[in-house]
């Protein structure tokens, strides 16, 4: 039986390897084609109307009742032939809420942008958490702190609910075993029972138990509506696999099958329904490779198996970031390149040396800095210890509104020179950032319970505080500017046409922008086409971008912590350039009202004309080490540019250059716009075609028209 997957972008003659069994490939095909996701419509949520006294309960009592009911009533699902148990089977969880309603309304929101401490539970087992909570309860009782008592009791209720959910799976497996008619069926269910029986309550004793424990915990957190990252899966599982391989307890082939089932089960929320930013963005990111907390290189067999699985199966639902350093082995570079060239944007790279040093400069210990992972996209955090939040802000709006007054009737100041324009911009930027800092004073105000998340975050038990109330070891609120490349481009255009070429004054330029360049097409084309903007290795415009970033990070460095909250600066858009486009107005670099501008810290669409190397050179001239909150460079390559051995060498060279030059995070998508245009015209033929959006991948046909336009308009290089 030949299972045919929707082919992502690839160069002629490039084929995916075939290593997995036919049954596993069939399981993947069904998951990717929404067989399991569509089944979720039968069970959207649990209903709290029939719970006595629910309306009179306090918030923690309501939350505990909901989680208990979810554990007791959510459908238990087994997919034919699956090797791991546990499924998040309530449809409303996909909507980023706790899947429970009372009187027809959702009761609680859920959490994302968090990577939980799954590693500690694998080391210690969940039963040890119960002991820690009970000991902390004794102290809280002596303190007579009602809030802490409510929270700590809620953590115990979460553990009890996990026991309930676990018990239901064990009972269902026992029934299936009793009904088994063949020796093969009996062996299959015995294996499932044996590998689920002890975990996640006791530390796993084998690779399969460890993988089962990790999946079961992750699935339960998702079942309760949260969207957690997974973190460093190869570090968590590598030692278990190496031991089993050495003793002969498992074959590498079967370990690959188990790894594939983990990824396939992560596709259980695929519905192929259209939604603005795409079906498939649930922030379940994975980090591979790099050093451990002691500085030892941690790339292992699990690292390779994960990349082999996603090379073979077109699964974009677990975006992967690989940590790169000077000692990264050649085989890992090659495997990353192989995955990248098959499209879907599933693999990206971190420059871990740069990030670790940046975290240490910000105040983290070296050991903690080495533990970094992401928050579910690519923002940087210490997993299992961090509450992460960020505030998106449009840096370009400061220029348009505060400096040029494009979008109001005010007459702009009569700027005498470029430096006056820049000084006015820096003043507006400072005002924006000071307002952000003040908002950090309210970071812990009025938050609702999220005990399922808090259970797996270090610091919450010890402090007796919930995840959103200051419980974790690190509480992070990161300002994230978007549009900085567009500010650099506009300032550069103003410098050229106003102060060097003296074609018009600032006021005259603003009037043209207010009128969307009407009657000035020749000048608009000059601004759009005759200058080398950010992304072309033009030192003059890149110096403006560097100056902007330096001023931004310097303002934030004046107060890196406020009200107990860390404020590491970052730069991102995460697609917000779409929602910003209609309020930005026409631009000095020749853009019209409604144009989609730059993503993250990447060139604006159509402005990068000198190739991928020039893009990387422009990006890395800035002092990125000061962006402790992170940023990303998006590259789009044509399939022809990465075909064959030369193509693999080209991709690895781009990665090496990016790391050596001091980049932070590089995401490469391999795609051909002709395929995307064909998918727009015939979406039924491209249901599982995935593309990189920003910190996540999504199925292209589930993006709305504006998001599809953004992907298509990204400049591709290499043809």
């Amino acid at each position: 039986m030949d299972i045919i997957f929707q082919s992502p972008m690839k160069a002629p003659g490039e084929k995916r390897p075939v290593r997995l069994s036919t049954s596993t490939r069939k399981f993947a095909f069904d998951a990717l084609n929404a067989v399991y996701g569509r089944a979720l419509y039968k069970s959207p949520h649990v209903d709290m109307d029939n719970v006595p006294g629910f309306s009179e309960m306090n918030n923690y009592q309501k939350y505990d009742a909901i989680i208990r009911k979810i554990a007791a009533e959510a459908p238990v699902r087994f997919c034919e032939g699956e090797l791991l148990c546990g499924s998040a089977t309530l449809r409303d969880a996909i909507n980023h809420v706790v899947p429970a309603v009372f009187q027809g309304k959702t009761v609680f929101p859920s959490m994302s942008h968090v990577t939980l401490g799954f590693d500690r539970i694998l080391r210690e087992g969940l039963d040890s958490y119960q002991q820690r909570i009970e000991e902390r309860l004794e102290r809280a009782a002596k303190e007579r702190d009602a809030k802490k008592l409510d929270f700590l009791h809620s953590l115990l209720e979460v553990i009890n609910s996990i026991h309930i959910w676990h018990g239901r799976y064990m009972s269902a497996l026992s029934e299936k075993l009793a009904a088994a008619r063949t020796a093969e069926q009996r062996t299959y269910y015995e294996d499932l029972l044996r590998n689920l029986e002890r975990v996640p309550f006791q530390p796993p004793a084998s690779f399969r138990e460890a993988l089962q424990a990790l999946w079961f915990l992750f699935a339960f957190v998702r079942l309760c509506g949260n969207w957690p990252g997974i973190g460093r899966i190869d570090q968590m599982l590598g030692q278990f696999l190496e031991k089993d391989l050495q003793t002969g307890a498992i074959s590498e082939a079967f370990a690959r099958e188990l790894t594939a089932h983990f990824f396939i089960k992560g596709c259980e929320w695929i519905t192929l329904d259209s939604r603005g930013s795409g079906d498939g963005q649930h922030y379940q990111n994975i980090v591979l490779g790099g050093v451990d907390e002691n500085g030892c290189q941690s790339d292992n067999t699990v690292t390779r198996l994960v990349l082999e699985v996603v090379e073979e199966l077109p699964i974009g639902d677990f975006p992967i970031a690989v940590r790169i350093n000077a000692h990264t082995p050649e085989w890992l570079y090659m495997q990353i390149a192989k995955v990248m060239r098959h499209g879907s944007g599933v693999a990206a790279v971190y420059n871990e040396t740069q990030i670790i040093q940046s975290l240490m400069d910000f105040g983290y210990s070296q050991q903690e800095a080495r533990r970094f992972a992401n928050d579910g996209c690519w923002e940087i955090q210490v997993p299992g210890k961090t509450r992460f939040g960020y505030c998106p802000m449009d840096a370009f709006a400061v220029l348009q509104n505060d400096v040029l007054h494009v979008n109001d009737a005010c007459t702009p100041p009569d700027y005498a020179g470029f430096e006056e324009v820049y000084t006015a911009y820096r003043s507006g930027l400072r005002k924006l950032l000071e307002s952000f800092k003040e908002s950090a004073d309210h970071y812990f105000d009025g938050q609702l319970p999220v005990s399922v998340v808090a259970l797996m975050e270090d610091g919450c038990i010890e402090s007796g505080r919930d995840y959103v109330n200051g419980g974790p070891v690190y509480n992070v609120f990161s300002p994230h500017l978007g549009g900085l490349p567009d500010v650099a481009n506009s300032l550069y255009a103003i410098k050229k046409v106003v102060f060097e070429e003296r074609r018009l004054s600032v006021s005259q330029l603003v009037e043209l922008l207010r009128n969307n360049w009407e009657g000035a097409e020749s000048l608009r084309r000059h601004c759009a086409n005759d200058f080398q903007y950010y992304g072309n290795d033009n030192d003059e415009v890149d110096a403006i971008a560097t100056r902007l970033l330096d001023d931004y990070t310097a303002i934030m460095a004046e107060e890196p912590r406020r009200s107990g909250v860390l404020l590491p600066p970052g730069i991102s858009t995460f697609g917000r350039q779409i929602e910003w486009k209609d309020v930005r107005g026409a631009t000095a670099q020749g853009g019209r009202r409604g144009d989609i501008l730059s993503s993250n810290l990447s060139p604006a669409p159509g402005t990068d004309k000198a190739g991928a190397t020039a893009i990387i050179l422009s990006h890395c001239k800035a002092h990125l080490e000061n962006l402790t909150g992170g940023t990303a460079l998006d590259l789009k390559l044509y399939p022809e540019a990465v075909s064959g051995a030369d193509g693999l060498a080209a991709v690895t060279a781009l990665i090496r250059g990016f790391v050596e030059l001091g980049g932070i995070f590089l995401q490469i998508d391999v795609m051909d716009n002709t395929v995307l245009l064909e998918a727009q015209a015939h979406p039924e033929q491209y249901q599982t075609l995935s593309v990189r959006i920003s910190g996540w991948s999504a199925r292209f046909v589930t993006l709305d028209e504006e998001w599809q336009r953004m992907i298509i308009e990204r400049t591709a290089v290499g043809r």
Side-chain angles (χ1 to χ4, degrees):
M1 179 181 179
D2 189 19
I3 305 299
I4 306 297
F5 293 100
Q6 169 66 56
S7 177
M9 264 60 76
K10 61 177 183 285
E14 297 290 353
K15 297 180 179 179
R16 290 185 183 273
V18 178
R19 301 184 181 93
L20 298 168
S21 67
T22 299
S23 60
T24 294
R25 290 170 64 79
K26 173 63 166 61
F27 184 23
F29 183 85
D30 288 345
L32 288 167
N33 284 277
V35 169
Y36 306 112
R38 291 292 172 84
L40 297 178
Y41 287 100
K42 300 176 182 177
S43 51
H45 49 249
V46 296
D47 195 326
M48 305 307 292
D49 287 355
N50 59 358
V51 176
F54 185 79
S55 61
E56 285 77 40
M57 296 178 181
N58 67 35
N59 279 335
Y60 275 112
Q61 291 169 336
K62 289 178 179 178
Y63 186 88
D64 297 342
I66 287 171
I67 302 304
R68 186 164 54 249
K69 194 165 190 182
I70 288 172
E73 296 183 4
V76 169
R77 182 172 70 201
F78 293 97
C79 305
E80 183 179 354
E82 69 178 6
L83 300 176
L84 301 169
C85 298
S87 294
T89 54
L90 295 176
R91 172 65 180 81
D92 285 0
I94 301 177
N95 298 328
H96 207 315
V97 297
V98 179
V101 298
F102 180 67
Q103 296 180 352
K105 296 181 180 180
T106 298
V107 184
F108 294 118
S110 59
M111 297 305 303
S112 62
H113 292 283
V114 55
T115 295
L116 300 176
F118 297 120
D119 55 337
R120 181 170 184 173
I121 299 180
L122 292 185
R123 291 194 307 269
E124 301 177 8
L126 200 53
D127 284 351
S128 69
Y129 281 59
Q130 182 157 342
Q131 181 177 349
R132 287 166 53 210
I133 296 166
E134 289 172 347
E135 291 173 355
R136 185 63 181 88
L137 267 169
E138 291 181 7
R139 287 166 44 204
K142 294 177 182 177
E143 297 165 2
R144 297 183 180 180
D145 192 319
K147 290 183 179 179
K148 290 181 179 179
L149 288 170
D150 282 347
F151 167 64
L152 293 165
H153 279 297
S154 183
L155 294 182
L156 290 179
E157 285 295 321
V158 171
I159 294 176
N160 290 336
S161 294
I162 296 174
H163 274 285
I164 291 169
W165 197 55
H166 183 271
R168 292 177 65 209
Y169 271 91
M170 291 296 292
S171 296
L173 281 171
S174 297
E175 292 174 4
K176 288 182 175 293
L177 176 60
R181 298 194 175 192
T182 67
E184 183 180 9
Q185 287 178 337
R186 285 193 292 273
T187 299
Y188 170 71
Y189 288 116
E190 285 171 351
D191 286 346
L192 289 178
L193 270 166
R194 181 171 57 255
N195 285 284
L196 181 61
E197 184 176 14
R198 299 174 58 256
V199 296
F201 307 105
Q202 297 296 317
S206 68
F207 173 69
R208 185 170 180 181
E209 274 194 352
L211 195 64
Q212 174 64 82
L214 177 58
W215 173 259
F216 200 80
L217 288 166
F218 174 70
F220 183 80
V221 176
R222 290 217 304 173
L223 177 68
C224 297
N226 305 288
W227 296 0
I230 292 173
R232 307 187 69 182
I233 190 171
D234 53 352
Q235 272 215 340
M236 287 187 272
L237 302 176
Q239 60 180 328
F240 294 102
L241 180 56
E242 298 302 335
K243 178 182 177 182
D244 285 0
L245 289 172
Q246 289 174 7
T247 62
I250 196 172
S251 68
E252 186 174 297
F254 188 60
R256 185 180 291 108
E257 296 284 326
L258 286 168
T259 303
H261 278 240
F262 186 97
F263 276 77
I264 295 165
K265 286 183 70 65
C267 299
E268 65 186 357
W269 279 1
I270 292 176
T271 63
L272 297 180
D273 292 335
S274 294
R275 49 186 295 187
S277 52
D279 173 42
Q281 52 148 327
H282 302 113
Y283 305 153
Q284 52 200 52
N285 292 38
I286 282 172
V287 177
L288 298 175
V291 298
D292 63 18
E293 61 185 20
N294 298 313
C296 300
Q297 201 70 18
S298 65
D299 320 307
N300 56 44
T301 306
V302 174
T303 314
R304 176 169 55 81
L305 291 182
V306 167
L307 291 170
E308 287 178 352
V309 165
V310 297
E311 183 190 359
E312 179 172 352
L313 301 176
I315 294 175
D317 294 68
F318 288 94
I320 296 167
V322 185
R323 291 173 41 158
I324 301 294
N325 60 48
H327 303 290
T328 297
E330 187 65 27
W331 67 262
L332 185 50
Y333 272 105
M334 295 301 292
Q335 194 61 48
I336 298 166
K338 289 179 181 179
V339 173
M340 284 180 170
R341 75 175 178 181
H342 282 298
S344 79
V346 67
V349 296
Y350 275 124
N351 177 1
E352 76 162 9
T353 304
Q354 174 91 310
I355 292 168
I356 290 170
Q357 187 60 55
S358 180
L359 287 167
M360 291 170 60
D361 291 344
F362 195 77
Y364 288 83
S365 70
Q366 184 181 57
Q367 191 172 55
E368 289 286 66
R370 286 169 172 165
R371 296 185 64 246
F372 84 86
N374 50 25
D375 72 316
C377 285
W378 47 255
E379 300 102 309
I380 297 157
Q381 65 171 246
V382 177
K385 294 187 175 184
T386 306
R387 176 197 173 184
F388 181 86
Y390 76 101
C391 179
M393 296 176 285
D394 185 5
F396 193 63
V398 175
L399 178 67
Q400 296 290 81
N401 299 332
D402 297 354
V403 180
L404 301 179
H405 296 278
V406 171
N407 298 311
D408 60 44
C410 296
T411 301
D414 186 16
Y415 298 110
F418 176 76
E419 283 302 317
E420 285 194 13
V421 176
Y422 189 90
T423 299
Y425 181 81
R426 184 170 53 206
S427 176
L429 179 63
R430 174 176 288 279
K431 181 179 177 181
L432 177 67
L433 296 176
E434 292 300 334
S435 177
F436 161 78
K437 292 177 184 179
E438 291 174 4
S439 71
D441 296 337
H442 306 285
Y443 196 47
F444 303 133
D445 291 356
Q447 301 288 353
L448 296 171
V450 284
S451 307
V452 169
V453 170
L455 176 67
M456 304 180 197
E457 283 286 304
D458 280 4
C460 291
I461 295 173
E462 293 77 6
S463 67
R465 294 180 179 179
D466 208 337
Y467 171 78
V468 291
N469 292 322
V473 176
Y474 305 108
N475 292 279
V476 175
F477 189 35
S478 181
H480 271 244
L481 282 185
L484 189 143
D486 309 310
V487 178
N489 289 344
S490 271
L491 288 174
Y492 181 59
I494 292 169
K495 181 180 180 183
K496 289 296 186 183
V497 299
V498 175
F499 298 111
E500 293 183 9
E501 297 177 357
R502 298 189 179 279
R503 291 175 180 253
L504 72 177
S505 67
V506 170
S507 295
Q508 289 170 327
L509 174 62
V510 169
E511 193 61 30
L512 288 179
L513 299 184
R514 288 172 177 171
N515 293 320
N516 204 24
W517 288 101
E518 185 177 346
E521 181 61 14
S522 177
L523 181 58
R524 189 196 72 79
R525 288 180 178 272
H526 173 61
C527 292
N529 300 321
D530 294 344
F531 300 129
Q532 287 188 320
Y533 289 115
Y534 174 81
N536 294 286
D537 191 24
N538 174 1
D539 286 340
E540 192 173 3
V541 69
D542 294 344
I544 297 174
T546 297
R547 186 179 180 186
L548 287 165
L549 188 145
D550 285 349
D551 283 336
Y552 165 43
T553 55
I555 293 169
M556 291 309 304
E558 294 169 2
E559 193 173 12
R561 177 193 294 265
R562 181 165 175 147
S563 300
V565 182
L566 300 173
L567 308 176
I571 291 178
S572 70
T573 57
F574 296 117
R576 287 186 177 86
Q577 61 268 37
I578 292 176
E579 65 186 68
W580 291 339
K581 65 181 178 59
D582 292 325
V583 297
R584 283 171 155 178
T587 68
Q589 62 267 40
R592 290 192 176 94
R593 187 182 302 116
D595 283 355
I596 297 174
L597 300 182
S598 67
S599 65
N600 301 316
L601 194 53
S602 308
T607 60
D608 50 315
K609 302 173 182 178
T613 300
I615 295 172
I616 291 174
L617 287 168
S618 284
H619 178 85
C620 292
K621 287 175 188 174
H623 302 126
L624 302 178
E625 66 273 12
N626 297 324
L627 287 175
T628 308
T631 192
L633 175 61
D634 310 305
L635 280 183
K636 175 178 164 183
L637 304 178
Y638 279 112
E640 292 90 336
V642 298
S643 63
D646 289 345
L648 289 178
V651 174
T652 59
L654 287 176
I655 295 172
R656 291 181 195 276
F658 178 80
V659 171
E660 289 172 4
L661 289 168
I664 295 176
F665 184 78
L666 174 66
Q667 44 196 25
I668 296 176
D669 211 353
V670 177
M671 64 177 68
D672 191 328
N673 280 352
T674 58
V675 177
L676 298 181
L677 293 170
E678 183 70 13
Q680 279 187 315
H682 304 285
E684 72 283 353
Q685 298 176 24
Y686 293 87
Q687 290 291 291
T688 62
L689 179 65
S690 291
V691 293
R692 186 79 176 197
I693 305 300
S694 186
W696 70 93
S697 295
R699 276 152 285 281
F700 180 75
V701 298
T702 68
L703 297 168
D704 70 19
E705 185 176 347
E706 289 293 343
W707 285 78
Q708 289 183 349
R709 173 189 162 199
M710 178 187 73
I711 297 300
I712 291 171
E713 288 185 357
R714 287 179 184 166
T715 303
V717 295
R719 171 162 282 177

